[in-house]
């Protein structure tokens, strides 16, 4: 079955950087649209970035210019590099995948378990 496993979260100070990974299995990775979402305490899950099959990307305005999403089809892995982190970026980060399309509201068909990112002030 399809599995998405995130890793790379942790505790970082304001202004710091982290790189998240999303390792996929049970699917032909290159055929799937991948995305990153996050959910902060007490808030709804929100869109962060999309990585299209072509490699092109889109971002939420809140992370544009600070976060970079990319995919390595040979490794069946997606990545999210996060720079200039602030406490407002504290959340559980999830990756999602879909064979067709990925909605900014609902994400894709498959989800990982999430990885915690905490940014201290």
């Amino acid at each position: 079955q399809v599995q998405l496993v995130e890793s790379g979260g942790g505790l970082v100070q304001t202004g710091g950087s982290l790189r998240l990974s999303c390792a996929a299995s049970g699917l032909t990775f290159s055929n799937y649209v991948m995305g990153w979402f996050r959910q902060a305490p007490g808030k709804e899950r929100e869109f962060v970035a999309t990585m299209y099959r072509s490699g092109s990307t889109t971002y939420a305005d809140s992370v544009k210019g600070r976060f970079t999403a990319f995919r390595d089809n040979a490794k069946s892995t997606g990545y999210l590099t996060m720079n200039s982190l602030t406490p407002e970026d504290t959340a559980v980060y999830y990756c999602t995948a879909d064979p067709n399309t990925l909605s900014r509201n609902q994400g894709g068909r498959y989800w990982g378990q999430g990885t915690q990112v905490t940014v201290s002030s």
Side-chain angles (χ1 to χ4, degrees), residues 5-100:
V5 179
E6 302 95 334
S7 61
L11 174 65
V12 64
Q13 292 184 331
T14 295
S17 300
L18 282 175
R19 189 177 83 163
L20 307 183
S21 300
C22 173
S25 60
L27 53 77
T28 302
F29 186 78
S30 59
N31 290 346
Y32 280 67
V33 181
M34 305 295 296
W36 289 97
F37 282 67
R38 67 185 181 185
Q39 187 166 20
K43 295 186 177 181
E44 294 187 351
R45 189 169 55 191
E46 65 173 0
F47 166 77
V48 175
T50 304
M51 300 172 282
Y52 293 97
R53 299 177 191 84
S54 64
S56 63
T57 53
T58 59
Y59 299 94
D61 288 343
S62 59
V63 307
K64 202 173 294 183
R66 300 188 299 122
F67 290 12
T68 302
F70 62 101
R71 59 193 294 161
D72 186 336
N73 289 340
K75 295 183 178 180
S76 297
T77 301
Y79 301 93
L80 183 69
T81 299
M82 307 183 294
N83 297 319
S84 302
L85 287 163
T86 73
E88 288 68 38
D89 295 314
T90 294
V92 177
Y93 283 72
Y94 299 89
C95 70
T96 182
D98 197 282
N100 295 310

